[in-house]
Amino acid sequence: MHENREISSTPLSNDQGRSAKAINHNADVYVPEKSHCAVVPVSQPNKEAKASAEAGEGRAQMKENIAQSNMQPTQSGKRMSQGLDGVRKAAKERKQERFTSLLHHLNVDLLRDSFYALQRKASPGVDGVTWQEYESGREDRLNDLHSRVHRGAYRAQPSRRVYIPKADGRQRPLGIAAVEDKIVQQAVVTILNQIYEVDFKGFSYGFRPGRSPHQALDALTVGIQRKKVNWILDADVMGFFDNLSHEWALKFIEHRVADRRILRLIRKWLKAGVSEDGQWSETDKGTPQGAVVTPLTQKVISNLRG
């Protein structure tokens, strides 16, 4: 969960400590993560934590998951489209369903909402276009982007390579996508979330809408205090994002997604390469840390493994 979140400046718990908060069921107020995708919590963290922890591994909190994952009102105040509601319903009722037609859900309204879900102050990509610059003439830009995506003329740009320091002195590479790539990625993630969110267990927190690492820690605290715990395993996959197989990632996604146009978009992002100091380099494996679409690949793989 911490792969993409090391730049978080979220404050720690208050003086009473996480334990007191979890037991007293006092809702926390968290500063949003510094990611490119805006996440708005839709439930009380500690109430959710108690339910998830007490459910125990192996007992899904499906009803709770589905309720928490409903999208918030969009920039225009409208709810998620009926079409996406239909995708979610079909995914819930038919667990083996492979969705062959999804791209038509990617309309101008969804692109607009995806644009406003991005961080306003995020660094620009290789094109040098900032969020504020793109907002100037936004509707014409989004209509043109929509047309290019559906005509197959959209081209993913390479990610701009930057580095952030790690606690051990090393540097973590990040890939900053261009604004248009972020917009389309966010729109595709919104569509695919309707499929994958209904499959997740109640104790799953990684990269999920309306959930945060702090809620996972609250749930862990409740579980440790109220269950008989003999040992705790803390494990991490070294260099997971840097070494992710593109072909295997797509195979995992294809378990549920059979729309070739959606798969082609994801392949474009994986193969777009990186630009560092003006030099382009090919990416035959891995996915850029910091990209909107990166958590999606991890979610899909984790879900199918679990």
Side-chain angles (χ1 to χ4, degrees), residues 26-46:
N26 293 328
D28 291 326
V29 179
Y30 301 116
V31 175
E33 292 292 322
K34 290 185 179 178
S35 64
H36 294 307
C37 173
V39 175
V40 182
V42 295
S43 61
Q44 296 297 329
N46 288 304

Side-chain angles (χ1 to χ4, degrees), residues 146-296:
H146 173 266
S147 175
R148 281 184 281 127
V149 169
H150 284 269
R151 287 188 288 110
Y154 162 78
R155 297 289 181 267
Q157 300 187 64
S159 298
R160 183 170 66 87
R161 175 73 79 208
V162 297
Y163 295 89
I164 59 172
K166 298 178 64 174
D168 59 6
R170 294 181 298 167
Q171 289 188 317
R172 179 182 299 281
L174 294 182
I176 301 178
V179 173
E180 285 198 338
D181 292 330
K182 293 177 188 177
I183 295 170
V184 182
Q185 288 178 16
Q186 179 61 49
V188 169
V189 167
T190 298
I191 295 169
L192 297 188
N193 270 342
Q194 311 314 309
I195 299 172
Y196 293 109
E197 278 296 309
V198 299
D199 292 338
F200 274 96
K201 309 297 184 183
F203 51 77
S204 175
Y205 286 85
F207 302 117
R208 296 185 58 195
R211 294 197 169 198
S212 71
H214 302 281
Q215 293 173 345
L217 290 172
D218 284 348
L220 182 62
T221 298
V222 174
I224 292 173
Q225 292 184 344
R226 300 190 179 186
K227 298 289 183 179
K228 184 179 180 181
V229 177
N230 295 317
W231 52 270
I232 296 175
L233 174 64
D234 180 14
D236 189 17
V237 180
M238 184 179 297
F240 174 82
F241 288 109
D242 296 331
N243 297 284
L244 179 69
S245 166
H246 293 170
E247 297 308 314
W248 276 107
L250 286 166
K251 286 180 180 179
F252 275 106
I253 294 173
E254 287 171 0
H255 279 277
R256 290 289 253 162
V257 178
D259 188 326
R260 294 183 179 180
R261 297 172 299 173
I262 292 287
L263 295 172
R264 191 177 301 118
L265 284 174
I266 297 174
R267 186 181 295 275
K268 284 181 179 180
W269 295 323
L270 292 174
K271 300 294 186 182
V274 296
S275 177
E276 185 173 357
D277 296 328
Q279 296 295 317
W280 178 85
S281 58
E282 183 181 8
T283 49
D284 56 1
K285 63 179 181 179
T287 179
Q289 297 183 48
V292 176
V293 76
T294 295
L296 173 69

